[in-house]
Amino acid sequence: MASGMTNRGKKLLFDYVFRATALPTNFYVALITSAVAPTADTNTFSELTEIAAGNGYTSGGISLTKNSTDFDVLTEDDANDKAIIQIKDLVWTASGGSIPASGSGARYAILTDYNATMGSRQVLAWWDLTSDRTVSSGQPLTLQDCELDIT
């Protein structure tokens, strides 16, 4: 699964570590349509189009806590000169209808910080799901081993 960290995500990482900026209370992984592809230049959630909520998908996505359960693998890779952090497996199960509830399927997943105004949430990273994903009632949509790496 192709992925990338946004320039905003890189800046925020520096802010959190070197300037002691307060960390968000939680992070979120949300599902996005192919209407606008996230890139390194994407800054906020409002620049993208979220899939329709309902039937097991909540607007804004799944909440992640800053801990070793939700960010479950951390690796220093000296052979490839990078560090990798991996997010726990994320599952949305369709119930009472398909996910998304209407419209286009999920093409991307994004990692955001928390802001009560969803459109103002900052996008730290994204993953390309390679094609639009739709699941019917009773079926899961699972993101497994989503990784972020800093090279």
Side-chain angles (χ1 to χ4, degrees), residues 4-16 21-30 32 38-48 60 109-127 148:
M5 196 159 185
T6 65
N7 295 328
R8 176 67 52 97
K10 295 170 192 173
K11 176 199 169 284
L12 289 172
L13 182 62
F14 283 155
D15 260 355
Y16 300 148
T21 302
L23 285 164
T25 54
N26 293 77
F27 293 93
Y28 288 83
V29 174
I32 304 301
T39 70
D41 297 327
T42 302
N43 290 323
T44 61
F45 204 138
S46 64
E47 297 171 45
L48 304 168
I110 59 170
L111 177 68
T112 69
D113 68 355
Y114 173 75
N115 186 308
T117 304
M118 198 171 340
S120 296
R121 289 184 183 173
Q122 299 184 82
V123 178
L124 285 78
W126 80 93
W127 297 273
L148 297 171

Side-chain angles (χ1 to χ4, degrees), residues 136-148:
S136 29
S137 190
Q139 300 299 311
L141 191 161
T142 303
L143 300 184
Q144 191 170 26
D145 302 330
C146 291
E147 290 184 348
L148 297 171

Side-chain angles (χ1 to χ4, degrees), residues 55-103:
N55 303 333
Y57 180 79
T58 302
S59 184
I62 292 177
S63 177
L64 300 172
T65 303
K66 306 170 297 211
N67 60 34
S68 59
T69 300
D70 288 359
F71 293 88
D72 60 354
V73 176
L74 179 60
T75 307
E76 178 181 339
D77 182 349
D78 290 332
N80 295 300
D81 297 326
K82 63 183 177 178
I84 301 166
I85 194 158
Q86 195 173 82
I87 297 172
K88 71 178 183 176
D89 293 351
L90 302 173
V91 179
W92 292 269
T93 301
S95 176
S98 64
I99 295 176
S102 64

